[in-house]
Amino acid sequence: MDTVINTLTPITGRIHSIETCGTVDGPGIRFVIFTQGCPLRCLYCHNPDCRDPYAGTAVTVEELISEVKTYQPYLRKGGVTVTGGEPLMQPEFVAEIFRRCHELGLHTALDTSGYVQLEAAKPVLEHTDLVLLDIKSYEPNLYRKVTSVALEPTLQFARYLAEIGKPAWIRFVLVPGLTDPEENVKGLSQFVASLSNVERVEVLPFHKMGEYKWQQLGLAYVLKDVDPPTPEQVNKVLQTFRDQGLIAV
Ligand code: SF4
């Protein structure tokens, strides 16, 4: 007897939460899905509760899409963003969310650290209109200090996006005394300028809004005495990117 494949098995993933009218994770008003699980350990993470891949809530793509449809009229000039955590820890789940969003005519954005297996990411990228790629530093040792993982997979991912012409926004979190050394920022700006697919660079000033979550989780927050960057510090970094001919905001 032939094996019966149940094509009706719903694709399920784990999420931390959703935000129905986000305005900072891609163009326009967006339905933002925060997935659960992340292999990085960024010192400044404002969502440390998104890291554990076994926490959060299990949902089906169908359930998420039903919710998206409720907000569809508001999302016409925006779309759907999947962030995290690290969405590419659940590539089938995210690919299916985006595939269904495209069926609805909605723009899709993927927010990722790029610390992923390229082969696993490719099917997701087929249904992704825009990648928000977080490059947390350019000096390899500093990158490891900030994230606890290696830089190279992210650079490989960035180069692959350029190779396939996938529109990307690069995101860089500016932490005074940590990510701000001139050679680090300059190196990153030169690398980003070498990529033909980058539409803009977003410099995100470090903030401590997630500090209470570290306390709740019983984790040591090593940046507790670091202040957010001043407008002058932010402008200096923006200028470094602009000097390379990039649009930086
Ligand atoms: S990649 Fe994002 S979610 Fe993961 S540890 Fe870093 S800041 Fe937190």
Side-chain angles (χ1 to χ4, degrees):
M1 203 169 87
D2 288 338
T3 308
V4 176
I5 298 171
N6 180 7
T7 54
L8 298 177
T9 302
I11 296 181
T12 303
R14 295 197 83 79
I15 66 164
H16 173 273
S17 55
I18 56 174
E19 185 184 345
T20 54
C21 291
T23 54
V24 294
D25 293 305
I29 294 176
R30 310 196 67 86
F31 188 98
V32 184
I33 300 166
F34 294 83
T35 57
Q36 190 68 36
C38 182
L40 276 62
R41 293 291 176 267
C42 301
L43 296 177
Y44 52 69
C45 180
H46 57 273
N47 291 324
D49 46 344
C50 282
R51 292 168 164 183
D52 178 357
Y54 302 105
T57 311
V59 291
T60 64
V61 172
E62 197 56 50
E63 285 167 332
L64 282 174
I65 294 298
S66 303
E67 187 80 5
V68 167
K69 282 179 180 166
T70 318
Y71 295 90
Q72 206 173 345
Y74 304 102
L75 305 175
R76 270 198 290 267
K77 288 186 181 162
V80 174
T81 297
V82 181
T83 180
E86 173 49 66
L88 292 175
M89 279 188 87
Q90 305 179 72
E92 283 177 25
F93 177 57
V94 180
E96 183 62 8
I97 294 169
F98 281 175
R99 192 186 69 75
R100 296 287 306 276
C101 288
H102 274 176
E103 277 180 1
L104 297 172
L106 292 171
H107 177 274
T108 59
L110 172 72
D111 183 17
T112 176
S113 70
Y115 184 75
V116 294
Q117 299 278 355
L118 203 45
E119 289 310 311
K122 284 178 181 176
V124 182
L125 295 172
E126 278 174 32
H127 304 286
T128 304
D129 295 314
L130 172 70
V131 176
L132 311 174
L133 177 60
D134 303 279
I135 307 185
K136 293 155 190 294
S137 268
Y138 189 68
E139 295 280 302
N141 291 338
L142 182 52
Y143 188 91
R144 189 176 282 282
K145 182 178 174 187
V146 172
T147 65
S148 295
V149 301
L151 167 66
E152 190 51 33
T154 295
L155 299 188
Q156 269 177 21
F157 186 79
R159 289 188 203 104
Y160 177 72
L161 295 179
E163 205 178 295
I164 63 171
K166 184 68 66 183
W169 294 3
I170 302 299
R171 295 173 136 188
F172 171 68
V173 178
L174 176 60
V175 188
L178 182 67
T179 65
D180 62 350
E182 211 167 312
E183 63 277 17
N184 186 49
V185 178
K186 192 161 182 206
L188 180 58
S189 68
Q190 288 170 338
F191 173 73
V192 173
S194 75
L195 306 170
S196 53
N197 59 320
V198 173
E199 295 179 347
R200 66 197 279 185
V201 176
E202 292 187 333
V203 175
L204 309 175
F206 163 69
H207 63 72
K208 288 193 264 196
M209 285 186 278
E211 186 176 358
Y212 74 97
K213 296 184 186 177
W214 288 69
Q215 286 160 0
Q216 283 171 355
L217 292 167
L219 299 170
Y221 188 61
V222 299
L223 301 181
K224 65 179 173 5
D225 296 325
V226 176
D227 288 325
T230 62
E232 291 74 28
Q233 287 172 312
V234 174
N235 282 335
K236 186 175 170 216
V237 168
L238 286 170
Q239 194 55 48
T240 304
F241 285 104
R242 289 174 186 150
D243 286 347
Q244 296 295 327
L246 294 158
I247 295 170
V249 295

